[in-house]
Amino acid sequence: MERVLFTNGRVLDPVAGALSTQEVLVEGERIIATGTGLPREAGTRIIDLQGRTLMPGLIDCHVHVTAQSLDLWSNVTAPSSLSALRSARVMEETLQRGFTTLRDLGGADLGLVRGVEEGLIAGPRLVICGKGLTTTGGHADLRGLTDGRPDMMSDRLGSMGMIVDGVDNIRAACRTMIKEGAKFIKVMANGGVSSPNDPIHSIQYSRDEILAMVEEAENAGLYVSAHVYTDRAIRRCVELGVHSLEHCNLIEPETAALAAAQGCIAVPTLVAYDALAIEGEALGLGPAEFAKIEVVRQGGLKSLQVMRDAGLLMAFGSDLLGDLRKYHGMEFELLAKVLTPAEIIRSATVIGAKLCGLDAETGRIEAGLCADLIVVDGNPLEDILCLAANGAKMPVIMARGRFAKNQLS
Ligand code: ZN
Ligand code: ZN
């Protein structure tokens, strides 16, 4: 197995939020040692970092790799083979921005997970939920008001959601998705921004239906993740045992404290709304959609403060679809308006790994963990924007011990 030794670097510990001068030795896909004066066996490839920062690969805990276009119907109706090829490109581009793990919140299937594991795609590790569960008329029901088709081709790879109503149907859907590789269950529990038919404040799914999802997930050692904006919707999900709270733009202090006490993890996705506000006109969004975007955009920065003050853990997310992915780095800028660089780095490494169930695999630089590593020009603990340049300030990106990029040798 090939050995790679990173020398003369400053190794970033996201837990302590500190740098230390250490060497890191990688063999195959694992980090096998860290420290000083590590052995240099014949054949070891030596990468001289010349004082650069070596840190864990980034984790984005809210993506949709199969959403090629913002025209969601065009994603659904595309052949699955085409969606797979497009998704592979999205994943490769995301890896080139330094993200070595992605958590997909609806769309991706086991084929994409395996494609990475088998080396067919030079992509980040993928953690999937199958399809996002939506009620009839809910956030992921893309049908027009009087379009009564019984389903919306949720078997297609490009479909992010699946319409499922009723406790028994929900149990069957959860069991099927878990059988097919889901590592958590996603529920649309609140209105949405991109969907035409449901106001943001609408509450979606009955308590019994969400309890059934939580039970099915917990029976399999997994958890439920909910799409939620309003305080009322978030509180209801927390009370029902939902673990991961996506977006959370309108959360209030009391609910944040309750969520923190229950060990929930929130995933703010501020950039999704800023990107839509910038590009919305060109995308043909109407006044109703713009009004929704403004509500969640205004709430976004305040929500970060509320969640931090409550001690509610936050994982880094982006939720960008289609061409809006070019704004990925902007999430770091938005978070930096409220959070410290060390807090942002934790959200995109250790906390993300915890939410993905991968804290023994990735998110830190320690012997035994997977070699998901990035080399950064500069010190992200002082200037978080060196992570925001779409990979331009990352001369080396390594995922599971393989170089996805190496400009240093
Ligand atoms: Zn959502
Ligand atoms: Zn999403």
Side-chain angles (χ1 to χ4, degrees):
M1 260 190 284
E2 198 195 22
R3 285 188 161 198
V4 178
L5 180 69
F6 293 95
T7 63
N8 293 323
R10 294 179 300 167
V11 174
L12 193 154
D13 174 352
V15 178
L19 298 177
S20 62
T21 302
Q22 282 190 62
E23 294 177 332
V24 174
L25 184 60
V26 172
E27 185 181 77
E29 65 170 33
R30 300 265 150 199
I31 299 167
I32 59 165
T34 64
T36 50
L38 295 182
R40 287 157 165 75
E41 280 179 14
T44 300
R45 189 165 167 188
I46 294 175
I47 310 277
D48 183 352
L49 299 179
Q50 297 176 318
R52 293 180 177 87
T53 304
L54 182 65
M55 65 174 285
L58 301 172
I59 300 170
D60 189 328
C61 275
H62 194 128
V63 300
H64 299 273
V65 300
T66 69
Q68 160 75 11
S69 167
L70 282 154
D71 173 358
L72 302 182
W73 262 123
S74 77
N75 300 330
V76 173
T77 55
S80 290
S81 51
L82 182 59
S83 293
L85 294 167
R86 287 167 165 174
S87 303
R89 178 176 291 177
V90 166
M91 290 162 69
E92 288 175 354
E93 287 171 354
T94 313
L95 179 57
Q96 291 299 321
R97 294 195 287 269
F99 289 87
T100 53
T101 302
L102 301 179
R103 178 173 169 260
D104 191 278
L105 271 282
D109 70 359
L110 196 58
L112 294 175
V113 175
R114 294 247 171 103
V116 174
E117 289 171 355
E118 293 180 13
L120 301 170
I121 310 171
R125 173 192 294 107
L126 196 59
V127 177
I128 61 167
C129 66
K131 304 298 184 191
L133 301 181
T134 186
T135 58
T136 294
H139 176 46
D141 181 351
L142 304 178
R143 300 170 302 174
L145 285 180
T146 56
D147 179 347
R149 274 176 286 184
D151 66 52
M152 43 171 221
M153 302 193 287
S154 58
D155 56 327
R156 291 283 174 91
L157 185 62
S159 174
M160 295 193 285
M162 175 190 276
I163 301 168
V164 188
D165 296 293
V167 167
D168 288 349
N169 294 332
I170 282 166
R171 288 191 189 278
C174 290
R175 288 169 193 173
T176 302
M177 286 192 290
I178 292 167
K179 172 175 171 284
E180 293 177 357
K183 298 298 179 200
F184 62 102
I185 296 294
K186 167 79 180 294
V187 57
M188 304 301 186
N190 202 187
V193 169
S194 56
S195 41
N197 301 329
D198 55 332
I200 290 177
H201 290 86
S202 76
I203 295 287
Q204 302 180 0
Y205 278 115
S206 68
R207 288 172 183 271
D208 282 349
E209 288 171 315
I210 294 178
L211 281 173
M213 294 172 205
V214 169
E215 186 181 13
E216 292 301 329
E218 287 181 357
N219 286 351
L222 307 175
Y223 65 84
V224 174
S225 151
H227 156 102
V228 277
Y229 290 119
T230 66
D231 189 66
R232 183 170 162 235
I234 299 166
R235 189 173 188 99
R236 182 169 170 271
C237 281
V238 173
E239 286 168 358
L240 293 171
V242 169
H243 174 62
S244 141
L245 306 165
E246 311 298 316
H247 316 305
C248 289
N249 298 52
L250 305 173
I251 194 169
E252 297 288 345
E254 204 181 308
T255 302
L258 185 69
Q262 270 183 228
C264 298
I265 298 181
V267 187
T269 60
L270 305 185
V271 67
Y273 318 106
D274 274 64
L276 277 175
I278 295 168
E279 300 269 332
E281 213 169 320
L283 296 166
L285 296 188
E289 280 109 342
F290 267 106
K292 286 190 190 184
I293 291 166
E294 273 316 297
V295 170
V296 291
R297 211 161 77 90
Q298 311 275 334
L301 290 176
K302 190 188 147 216
S303 75
L304 294 182
Q305 219 146 8
V306 166
M307 293 190 280
R308 188 205 10 215
D309 292 350
L312 175 55
L313 292 183
M314 288 180 264
F316 182 100
S318 58
D319 202 18
L320 292 166
L321 312 182
D323 294 337
L324 298 182
R325 291 190 179 93
K326 66 185 174 206
Y327 294 108
H328 205 173
M330 198 197 285
E331 180 68 16
F332 289 100
E333 290 173 47
L334 293 165
L335 293 171
K337 290 182 180 183
V338 177
L339 306 180
T340 66
E343 287 170 329
I344 298 170
I345 290 166
R346 270 194 284 280
S347 80
T349 55
V350 271
I351 300 172
K354 185 175 157 72
L355 187 53
C356 290
L358 293 169
D359 34 6
E361 276 293 290
T362 192
R364 289 165 291 135
I365 296 181
E366 280 177 27
L369 269 66
C370 227
D372 293 331
L373 304 169
I374 53 179
V375 174
V376 182
D377 288 328
N379 178 1
L381 288 167
E382 280 165 11
D383 177 18
I384 192 72
L385 297 188
C386 49
L387 303 181
N390 286 334
K393 295 189 174 172
M394 296 172 188
V396 174
I397 297 168
M398 176 180 264
R400 300 172 312 285
R402 287 191 192 191
F403 286 105
K405 179 180 182 185
N406 183 4
Q407 297 177 329
L408 294 186
S409 57

